[in-house]
Coordinates of all heavy atoms in Angstrom, one line a residue:
S20 N 14.6 15.5 2.3 CA 13.7 14.9 1.3 C 14.5 14.1 0.3 O 14.1 13.0 0.0 CB 12.9 16.0 0.6 OG 12.1 16.7 1.5
A21 N 15.6 14.7 -0.2 CA 16.4 14.0 -1.2 C 17.1 12.7 -0.6 O 17.1 11.7 -1.2 CB 17.5 14.9 -1.7
A22 N 17.6 12.9 0.6 CA 18.3 11.7 1.2 C 17.3 10.6 1.6 O 17.6 9.4 1.4 CB 19.1 12.2 2.5
F23 N 16.2 11.0 2.2 CA 15.2 10.1 2.7 C 14.6 9.3 1.5 O 14.5 8.1 1.6 CB 14.1 10.8 3.5 CG 13.2 9.9 4.2 CD1 13.6 9.1 5.2 CD2 11.8 9.8 3.8 CE1 12.7 8.3 5.9 CE2 10.9 9.0 4.4 CZ 11.3 8.2 5.5
A24 N 14.2 10.0 0.5 CA 13.7 9.3 -0.7 C 14.7 8.4 -1.4 O 14.4 7.3 -1.8 CB 13.2 10.4 -1.7
T25 N 16.0 8.9 -1.4 CA 17.0 8.0 -2.0 C 17.2 6.8 -1.1 O 17.4 5.7 -1.7 CB 18.3 8.8 -2.1 OG1 18.2 10.0 -2.9 CG2 19.5 8.0 -2.6
G26 N 17.2 6.9 0.2 CA 17.4 5.8 1.1 C 16.2 4.8 0.9 O 16.5 3.6 0.9
L27 N 15.0 5.2 0.8 CA 13.9 4.3 0.6 C 14.1 3.5 -0.7 O 13.8 2.3 -0.8 CB 12.6 5.1 0.6 CG 12.1 5.6 2.0 CD1 10.9 6.5 1.8 CD2 11.8 4.5 3.0
A28 N 14.5 4.3 -1.8 CA 14.7 3.6 -3.1 C 15.8 2.6 -3.0 O 15.8 1.5 -3.6 CB 14.9 4.7 -4.1
L29 N 16.9 2.9 -2.3 CA 18.0 2.0 -2.1 C 17.6 0.7 -1.5 O 18.2 -0.4 -1.7 CB 19.1 2.6 -1.3 CG 20.0 3.7 -1.9 CD1 20.8 4.4 -0.9 CD2 20.8 3.1 -3.1
R30 N 16.5 0.7 -0.7 CA 16.0 -0.4 0.0 C 15.0 -1.2 -0.9 O 14.3 -2.1 -0.4 CB 15.4 -0.1 1.3 CG 16.3 0.7 2.3 CD 17.5 -0.2 2.7 NE 17.0 -1.4 3.4 CZ 16.8 -1.4 4.7 NH1 17.0 -0.3 5.4 NH2 16.4 -2.5 5.3
G31 N 14.9 -0.8 -2.2 CA 14.0 -1.5 -3.1 C 12.6 -1.0 -3.2 O 11.8 -1.6 -3.9
N32 N 12.3 0.1 -2.6 CA 11.0 0.7 -2.7 C 10.9 1.7 -3.8 O 11.8 2.6 -4.0 CB 10.7 1.4 -1.4 CG 10.7 0.5 -0.2 OD1 9.9 -0.3 0.0 ND2 11.7 0.7 0.7
K33 N 9.9 1.5 -4.7 CA 9.7 2.5 -5.7 C 9.2 3.8 -5.1 O 8.2 3.9 -4.5 CB 8.7 2.0 -6.8 CG 8.7 2.8 -8.1 CD 7.8 2.2 -9.2 CE 7.9 3.0 -10.4 NZ 7.1 2.5 -11.5
T34 N 10.0 4.9 -5.3 CA 9.8 6.1 -4.5 C 9.9 7.3 -5.5 O 10.7 7.4 -6.4 CB 10.9 6.3 -3.5 OG1 11.0 5.1 -2.6 CG2 10.7 7.5 -2.6
V35 N 8.9 8.2 -5.2 CA 8.9 9.5 -6.0 C 9.0 10.6 -4.9 O 8.3 10.6 -3.9 CB 7.7 9.7 -6.9 CG1 6.4 9.6 -6.1 CG2 7.8 11.0 -7.7
V36 N 9.8 11.7 -5.2 CA 9.9 12.8 -4.3 C 9.4 14.0 -5.1 O 9.8 14.3 -6.2 CB 11.3 13.0 -3.7 CG1 12.3 13.1 -4.8 CG2 11.3 14.2 -2.8
I37 N 8.4 14.8 -4.5 CA 7.8 15.9 -5.2 C 8.2 17.2 -4.5 O 8.1 17.4 -3.3 CB 6.2 15.8 -5.1 CG1 5.8 14.4 -5.6 CG2 5.6 16.9 -5.9 CD1 4.3 14.2 -5.4
D38 N 8.6 18.2 -5.4 CA 8.9 19.5 -4.9 C 7.7 20.4 -4.9 O 7.1 20.7 -5.9 CB 10.0 20.1 -5.7 CG 10.6 21.4 -5.2 OD1 10.0 22.0 -4.2 OD2 11.7 21.8 -5.6
F39 N 7.2 20.8 -3.7 CA 6.0 21.6 -3.5 C 6.4 23.1 -3.4 O 5.5 23.9 -3.3 CB 5.2 21.2 -2.3 CG 4.2 20.1 -2.5 CD1 4.7 18.8 -2.6 CD2 2.9 20.3 -2.7 CE1 3.8 17.7 -2.8 CE2 2.0 19.3 -2.9 CZ 2.4 18.0 -3.0
D40 N 7.6 23.4 -3.5 CA 8.1 24.8 -3.3 C 8.0 25.6 -4.7 O 9.0 25.9 -5.3 CB 9.5 24.9 -2.7 CG 9.7 26.2 -2.1 OD1 8.9 27.1 -2.2 OD2 10.8 26.4 -1.4
V41 N 6.8 25.9 -5.1 CA 6.5 26.5 -6.4 C 7.2 27.9 -6.4 O 6.9 28.7 -5.5 CB 5.0 26.6 -6.7 CG1 4.8 27.3 -8.0 CG2 4.4 25.2 -6.8
G42 N 7.9 28.2 -7.4 CA 8.6 29.5 -7.5 C 10.0 29.5 -7.0 O 10.8 30.4 -7.4
L43 N 10.3 28.6 -6.1 CA 11.7 28.6 -5.4 C 12.2 27.2 -5.4 O 12.8 26.8 -4.4 CB 11.6 29.2 -4.0 CG 11.2 30.7 -3.9 CD1 11.0 31.0 -2.4 CD2 12.4 31.5 -4.4
R44 N 12.1 26.5 -6.5 CA 12.4 25.0 -6.4 C 13.9 24.9 -6.3 O 14.8 25.6 -6.8 CB 12.0 24.3 -7.7 CG 12.8 24.6 -8.9 CD 12.3 23.8 -10.1 NE 13.2 23.9 -11.3 CZ 12.8 24.0 -12.5 NH1 11.5 23.9 -12.8 NH2 13.7 24.0 -13.5
N45 N 14.3 23.9 -5.4 CA 15.7 23.5 -5.2 C 15.9 22.0 -5.2 O 17.1 21.6 -5.3 CB 16.1 24.1 -3.8 CG 16.3 25.6 -3.8 OD1 17.1 26.1 -4.6 ND2 15.7 26.3 -2.9
L46 N 14.9 21.2 -5.1 CA 15.0 19.8 -5.1 C 15.8 19.3 -6.3 O 16.6 18.4 -6.1 CB 13.7 19.1 -4.9 CG 13.7 17.6 -4.9 CD1 14.4 17.1 -3.6 CD2 12.2 17.1 -4.9
D47 N 15.5 19.8 -7.5 CA 16.2 19.3 -8.6 C 17.7 19.6 -8.6 O 18.5 18.8 -9.1 CB 15.5 19.9 -9.9 CG 15.5 21.4 -9.9 OD1 15.1 22.0 -8.9 OD2 15.9 22.0 -10.9
L48 N 18.1 20.7 -8.0 CA 19.5 21.0 -7.8 C 20.1 20.0 -6.9 O 21.2 19.5 -7.1 CB 19.7 22.4 -7.3 CG 19.3 23.5 -8.2 CD1 19.3 24.9 -7.5 CD2 20.3 23.6 -9.4
V49 N 19.5 19.8 -5.7 CA 20.1 18.8 -4.7 C 20.1 17.4 -5.3 O 21.1 16.7 -4.9 CB 19.2 18.9 -3.4 CG1 19.7 17.8 -2.4 CG2 19.2 20.3 -2.8
M50 N 19.2 17.1 -6.1 CA 19.2 15.7 -6.7 C 20.0 15.6 -8.0 O 20.2 14.6 -8.6 CB 17.7 15.3 -7.1 CG 16.8 15.3 -5.9 SD 17.1 13.9 -4.8 CE 16.6 12.5 -5.7
G51 N 20.6 16.8 -8.5 CA 21.4 16.8 -9.6 C 20.8 16.5 -10.9 O 21.4 16.0 -11.9
C52 N 19.5 17.0 -11.1 CA 18.8 16.7 -12.3 C 18.2 18.0 -12.9 O 17.3 17.9 -13.7 CB 17.7 15.7 -12.1 SG 16.4 16.2 -11.0
E53 N 18.7 19.2 -12.5 CA 18.1 20.4 -12.9 C 18.1 20.6 -14.5 O 17.2 21.3 -15.0 CB 18.8 21.6 -12.2 CG 20.2 21.9 -12.7 CD 21.3 21.0 -12.0 OE1 20.9 20.1 -11.2 OE2 22.5 21.2 -12.2
R54 N 19.1 20.1 -15.1 CA 19.2 20.2 -16.6 C 18.2 19.3 -17.3 O 18.0 19.5 -18.5 CB 20.6 19.9 -17.1 CG 21.6 21.0 -16.5 CD 23.0 20.6 -17.0 NE 24.0 21.5 -16.4 CZ 25.3 21.4 -16.6 NH1 25.8 20.4 -17.3 NH2 26.2 22.3 -16.1
R55 N 17.6 18.4 -16.6 CA 16.7 17.5 -17.3 C 15.2 17.9 -17.1 O 14.3 17.1 -17.5 CB 16.9 16.0 -16.7 CG 18.4 15.5 -17.0 CD 18.6 14.3 -16.2 NE 17.7 13.2 -16.5 CZ 17.5 12.1 -15.8 NH1 18.1 12.0 -14.6 NH2 16.6 11.2 -16.2
V56 N 15.0 19.0 -16.4 CA 13.6 19.4 -16.2 C 13.0 20.0 -17.5 O 13.6 21.0 -18.0 CB 13.5 20.5 -15.1 CG1 12.1 21.0 -14.9 CG2 14.0 19.9 -13.8
V57 N 12.0 19.4 -18.0 CA 11.3 19.9 -19.2 C 9.9 20.3 -18.7 O 9.4 21.5 -19.0 CB 11.2 18.9 -20.3 CG1 10.4 19.4 -21.5 CG2 12.6 18.5 -20.7
Y58 N 9.2 19.4 -18.1 CA 7.8 19.7 -17.5 C 7.9 19.6 -16.0 O 8.7 18.9 -15.5 CB 6.8 18.8 -18.1 CG 6.6 18.9 -19.6 CD1 7.1 18.0 -20.5 CD2 5.9 20.0 -20.1 CE1 6.9 18.1 -21.9 CE2 5.7 20.2 -21.4 CZ 6.2 19.2 -22.3 OH 6.0 19.4 -23.7
D59 N 6.9 20.2 -15.3 CA 7.0 20.2 -13.9 C 5.6 19.9 -13.3 O 4.6 19.6 -14.0 CB 7.4 21.6 -13.3 CG 6.6 22.8 -13.8 OD1 5.4 22.7 -13.7 OD2 7.2 23.7 -14.4
F60 N 5.5 19.9 -12.0 CA 4.3 19.6 -11.2 C 3.1 20.4 -11.7 O 2.0 19.8 -11.9 CB 4.6 19.9 -9.7 CG 3.6 19.3 -8.7 CD1 2.7 18.4 -9.1 CD2 3.7 19.7 -7.4 CE1 1.8 17.8 -8.2 CE2 2.8 19.2 -6.5 CZ 1.8 18.3 -6.9
I61 N 3.3 21.7 -11.9 CA 2.2 22.5 -12.3 C 1.7 22.2 -13.7 O 0.5 22.3 -14.0 CB 2.5 24.0 -12.1 CG1 2.9 24.4 -10.7 CG2 1.4 24.9 -12.5 CD1 1.9 24.0 -9.6
N62 N 2.7 21.9 -14.6 CA 2.3 21.5 -15.9 C 1.3 20.3 -15.9 O 0.4 20.3 -16.7 CB 3.5 21.1 -16.7 CG 4.4 22.3 -17.1 OD1 5.6 22.2 -17.1 ND2 3.8 23.4 -17.5
V63 N 1.6 19.4 -15.0 CA 0.8 18.2 -14.9 C -0.6 18.5 -14.3 O -1.6 18.1 -14.8 CB 1.5 17.1 -14.1 CG1 0.6 15.8 -14.0 CG2 2.8 16.7 -14.7
I64 N -0.6 19.3 -13.3 CA -1.9 19.7 -12.7 C -2.8 20.5 -13.7 O -4.0 20.2 -13.8 CB -1.6 20.6 -11.4 CG1 -1.1 19.8 -10.3 CG2 -2.9 21.4 -11.0 CD1 -0.7 20.6 -9.0
N65 N -2.1 21.3 -14.5 CA -2.9 22.1 -15.5 C -3.2 21.3 -16.8 O -3.8 21.8 -17.7 CB -2.1 23.3 -15.9 CG -2.1 24.3 -14.7 OD1 -2.9 24.3 -13.8 ND2 -1.2 25.3 -14.8
G66 N -2.8 20.1 -16.9 CA -3.0 19.3 -18.1 C -2.1 19.6 -19.2 O -2.5 19.2 -20.4
E67 N -1.1 20.3 -19.0 CA -0.1 20.7 -20.1 C 0.9 19.6 -20.4 O 1.6 19.7 -21.4 CB 0.6 22.0 -19.7 CG -0.4 23.2 -19.5 CD 0.2 24.3 -18.6 OE1 1.3 24.1 -18.0 OE2 -0.5 25.3 -18.5
A68 N 1.0 18.6 -19.5 CA 1.8 17.5 -19.7 C 1.3 16.3 -18.8 O 0.5 16.6 -17.9 CB 3.3 17.8 -19.3
N69 N 1.7 15.1 -19.1 CA 1.3 14.0 -18.3 C 2.4 13.6 -17.3 O 3.5 14.1 -17.5 CB 0.8 12.8 -19.1 CG 1.9 12.2 -20.0 OD1 3.0 12.1 -19.6 ND2 1.5 11.9 -21.3
L70 N 2.1 12.8 -16.3 CA 3.1 12.4 -15.3 C 4.3 11.8 -16.0 O 5.5 12.1 -15.5 CB 2.5 11.5 -14.3 CG 1.9 12.1 -13.0 CD1 1.3 11.0 -12.2 CD2 3.0 12.8 -12.3
N71 N 4.1 11.0 -16.9 CA 5.3 10.3 -17.6 C 6.2 11.3 -18.2 O 7.5 11.1 -18.2 CB 4.8 9.3 -18.6 CG 5.8 8.4 -19.1 OD1 6.5 7.7 -18.4 ND2 6.0 8.4 -20.4
Q72 N 5.7 12.4 -18.7 CA 6.6 13.4 -19.3 C 7.3 14.2 -18.2 O 8.4 14.7 -18.5 CB 5.7 14.4 -20.1 CG 5.1 13.8 -21.4 CD 4.2 14.8 -22.1 OE1 3.1 15.1 -21.6 NE2 4.7 15.3 -23.2
A73 N 6.7 14.4 -17.1 CA 7.3 15.3 -16.0 C 8.2 14.6 -15.1 O 9.1 15.2 -14.5 CB 6.2 16.0 -15.2
L74 N 7.9 13.3 -14.8 CA 8.8 12.5 -13.9 C 10.2 12.3 -14.4 O 10.4 12.0 -15.6 CB 8.1 11.2 -13.6 CG 6.9 11.2 -12.7 CD1 6.3 9.8 -12.6 CD2 7.3 11.6 -11.2
I75 N 11.2 12.6 -13.6 CA 12.6 12.4 -13.9 C 13.1 11.2 -13.2 O 13.1 11.2 -11.9 CB 13.4 13.7 -13.6 CG1 12.9 14.9 -14.3 CG2 14.9 13.4 -13.9 CD1 13.5 16.2 -13.9
K76 N 13.6 10.2 -13.9 CA 14.2 9.0 -13.3 C 15.6 9.3 -12.9 O 16.4 9.8 -13.7 CB 14.1 7.9 -14.3 CG 14.5 6.5 -13.7 CD 14.4 5.4 -14.7 CE 14.6 4.0 -14.0 NZ 15.9 3.9 -13.3
D77 N 15.9 9.0 -11.6 CA 17.3 9.2 -11.1 C 18.3 8.3 -11.9 O 17.9 7.1 -12.1 CB 17.3 8.9 -9.6 CG 18.7 9.4 -9.0 OD1 18.8 10.6 -8.7 OD2 19.6 8.5 -8.9
K78 N 19.4 8.8 -12.2 CA 20.4 8.0 -13.0 C 21.2 7.1 -12.1 O 21.9 6.1 -12.6 CB 21.3 8.9 -13.8 CG 20.7 9.7 -14.9 CD 21.7 10.5 -15.7 CE 21.0 11.2 -16.8 NZ 22.0 12.0 -17.6
R79 N 21.2 7.3 -10.8 CA 22.1 6.6 -9.9 C 21.4 5.5 -9.1 O 22.0 4.4 -8.8 CB 22.8 7.5 -8.9 CG 23.7 8.6 -9.5 CD 23.8 9.8 -8.6 NE 22.5 10.4 -8.4 CZ 22.3 11.7 -8.1 NH1 23.4 12.5 -8.0 NH2 21.1 12.2 -7.9
V80 N 20.1 5.7 -8.8 CA 19.4 4.8 -7.9 C 18.1 4.3 -8.7 O 17.3 5.0 -9.1 CB 19.0 5.5 -6.6 CG1 18.2 4.5 -5.7 CG2 20.2 6.1 -5.9
E81 N 18.1 3.0 -8.8 CA 16.9 2.3 -9.3 C 15.7 2.6 -8.5 O 15.8 2.8 -7.3 CB 17.1 0.8 -9.4 CG 16.1 0.1 -10.2 CD 16.2 0.3 -11.7 OE1 17.2 0.7 -12.2 OE2 15.1 0.1 -12.4
N82 N 14.5 2.8 -9.1 CA 13.2 3.0 -8.4 C 13.1 4.4 -7.8 O 12.2 4.6 -7.0 CB 13.0 2.0 -7.2 CG 12.9 0.6 -7.8 OD1 12.3 0.4 -8.8 ND2 13.4 -0.4 -7.0
L83 N 13.9 5.3 -8.2 CA 13.8 6.7 -7.6 C 13.5 7.7 -8.7 O 14.1 7.7 -9.8 CB 15.1 7.1 -7.0 CG 15.2 8.5 -6.4 CD1 14.1 8.7 -5.3 CD2 16.6 8.8 -5.8

Side-chain angles (χ1 to χ4, degrees):
S20 295
F23 188 68
T25 301
L27 289 171
L29 286 170
R30 301 299 297 275
N32 301 288
K33 193 171 183 183
T34 305
V35 58
V36 55
I37 307 172
D38 191 345
F39 274 79
D40 201 353
V41 176
L43 293 171
R44 77 179 188 215
N45 286 306
L46 179 65
D47 55 312
L48 291 170
V49 175
M50 299 290 287
C52 63
E53 69 277 6
R54 294 179 183 176
R55 298 169 60 199
V56 176
V57 178
Y58 294 106
D59 56 53
F60 193 14
I61 302 302
N62 289 139
V63 181
I64 287 177
N65 290 343
E67 298 159 353
N69 60 45
L70 264 177
N71 190 53
Q72 291 174 290
L74 286 172
I75 300 171
K76 189 180 188 302
D77 191 86
K78 292 183 177 180
R79 297 155 300 204
V80 180
E81 190 70 24
N82 294 323
L83 179 60

